[in-house]
Amino acid sequence: MDVTFKQKIDQLVTEVSNITSLTTKVEVLNYMMQQADFILWQLEDEQRIDEDSRDY
């Protein structure tokens, strides 16, 4: 993984960890998980399309 991406992710995790409101922290983490799931879904779709194009 690119070091720059790791640093950005680590900074974000630190920022979220510093949220004092438990409700807000849960909401932020749930939103982050939704976004990560969406990115993963897109990646899997791209991989499937790429594999399908190689079959022809």
Side-chain angles (χ1 to χ4, degrees):
M1 178 189 315
D2 184 270
V3 173
T4 305
F5 285 122
K6 185 180 182 317
Q7 289 171 339
K8 288 178 182 180
I9 292 168
D10 289 346
Q11 288 172 350
L12 183 57
V13 167
T14 299
E15 188 172 339
V16 171
S17 295
N18 290 331
I19 296 172
T20 56
S21 166
L22 183 58
T23 303
T24 303
K25 190 181 290 190
V26 169
E27 290 173 349
V28 169
L29 290 172
N30 282 333
Y31 182 73
M32 288 173 65
M33 289 186 335
Q34 288 173 354
Q35 293 299 92
D37 285 344
F38 179 71
I39 292 171
L40 182 58
W41 173 81
Q42 284 181 314
L43 176 61
E44 290 170 346
D45 196 44
E46 289 174 19
Q47 287 175 327
R48 188 171 48 256
I49 290 169
D50 185 53
E51 289 171 1
D52 289 347
S53 69
R54 288 189 223 161
D55 290 342
Y56 295 105

